[in-house]
Amino acid sequence: MRLFDKSLVNLDIEVKDAEEAIRGAGQLLVDSGAAEASYVEAMLAAYREKGPYIVIAPHIALPHAKAESGVHEAAVAFARLKEPVKFGHADNDPVDLVFALGSSSSSDHIKLLRTLSSLLTDPANIEAIRSAKSAEELENLLK
Amino acid sequence: MKIICVCGLGQGTSLILRMNVENVLKDLGVQADVEHTDVSTASGMSADFIVTSNELAQSLPGHSATIVIVNNYFDLNEIKEKLQEAL
């Protein structure tokens, strides 16, 4: 299970809309070998079909798709947007923090979600993520 | 008492919601059977409460369960307040 590995983090990504943001975060999963390109397309399809519910907290989106769509290992890629973009969520727009979740059917998936969830339930951590200058700083939050 | 946490695919965000709902229920000392699933499966399931986002609640019209809408899945206080109101 991987979260905040250097190869899974982009702290300064420029995008013009929600789809580019999902693609940008998803590409990190592909480049690091955690998922196939087909998984990014599946995340985009899920967003188009099911809508902006993936913005599950103010300014935080968690795009994901089904494990069968091409995930090799449970991982979360993180993209911080230079300029926030709208996902179309009534309450939680605009989004600047995008966590692309590489779902897997393993127990690692549950462990990963638990780690991510306990991290993000503390507002101080969200502020630290927003102001972090390196992937190392993010990794330190997990310790 | 049965509670279903619902998201679009039933694999990611509904599981996060379930973890946090379970934490809150533990805090409140409430015993409940909590499950998570996707919105289309949920529409065919019976439950006392469904916890989900405003967007997905629109896809569950006429469901017999009481729908509890949560805006911030990471805000344990919000989840607690909304559940307390509903229960």
Side-chain angles (χ1 to χ4, degrees):
Chain A
M1 119 180 176
R2 295 198 286 154
L3 170 65
F4 293 158
D5 284 18
K6 220 173 179 169
S7 64
L8 287 169
V9 171
N10 185 336
L11 292 178
D12 203 13
I13 179 172
E14 269 183 87
V15 299
K16 65 175 193 316
D17 57 27
E19 292 211 7
E20 275 191 9
I22 295 170
R23 214 177 269 286
Q27 193 58 40
L28 295 168
L29 290 174
V30 177
D31 292 344
S32 70
E36 297 290 329
S38 58
Y39 187 74
V40 181
E41 295 309 317
M43 286 198 297
L44 285 164
Y47 169 65
R48 288 178 199 132
E49 250 169 65
K50 316 267 180 189
Y53 84 89
I54 52 171
V55 188
I56 60 170
H59 321 304
I60 299 176
L62 231 90
H64 59 289
K66 293 199 175 193
E68 306 87 86
S69 307
V71 175
H72 300 300
E73 88 179 287
V76 174
F78 171 59
R80 192 172 67 195
L81 310 183
K82 215 169 179 177
E83 296 294 334
V85 295
K86 286 190 177 154
F87 272 59
H89 193 285
D91 301 291
N92 295 337
D93 263 349
V95 170
D96 67 337
L97 306 179
V98 182
F99 295 88
L101 174 63
S103 310
S104 94
S105 46
S106 66
S107 59
D108 267 3
H109 178 57
I110 294 171
K111 220 161 93 186
L112 191 60
L113 287 180
R114 205 174 284 284
T115 307
L116 188 64
S117 182
S118 57
L119 185 75
L120 298 178
T121 44
D122 183 346
N125 285 333
I126 296 178
E127 278 322 301
I129 289 169
R130 213 165 248 134
S131 60
K133 293 187 174 58
S134 66
E136 288 75 24
E137 275 183 48
L138 297 177
E139 272 182 310
N140 287 335
L141 293 175
L142 300 173
K143 283 174 188 157
Chain B
M1 178 167 58
K2 186 163 161 184
I3 300 177
I4 317 178
C5 299
V6 172
C7 79
L9 298 169
Q11 291 190 342
T13 53
S14 58
L15 196 50
I16 290 179
L17 190 56
R18 176 185 170 174
M19 288 169 183
N20 291 336
V21 164
E22 282 173 337
N23 282 344
V24 165
L25 289 174
K26 211 167 127 194
D27 251 21
L28 294 172
V30 176
Q31 293 275 348
D33 170 21
V34 187
E35 290 181 32
H36 68 280
T37 190
D38 65 276
V39 67
S40 42
T41 309
S43 58
M45 284 168 79
S46 68
D48 300 296
F49 298 94
I50 289 180
V51 188
T52 191
S53 65
N54 193 17
E55 268 83 16
L56 295 176
Q58 317 294 330
S59 312
L60 294 162
H63 200 288
S64 62
T66 303
I67 311 273
V68 180
I69 291 171
V70 173
N71 278 324
N72 183 345
Y73 284 24
F74 296 124
D75 185 346
L76 297 179
N77 288 326
E78 182 191 343
I79 296 174
K80 193 181 212 166
E81 275 168 30
K82 301 265 173 82
L83 280 176
Q84 269 177 322
E85 256 170 56
L87 296 178

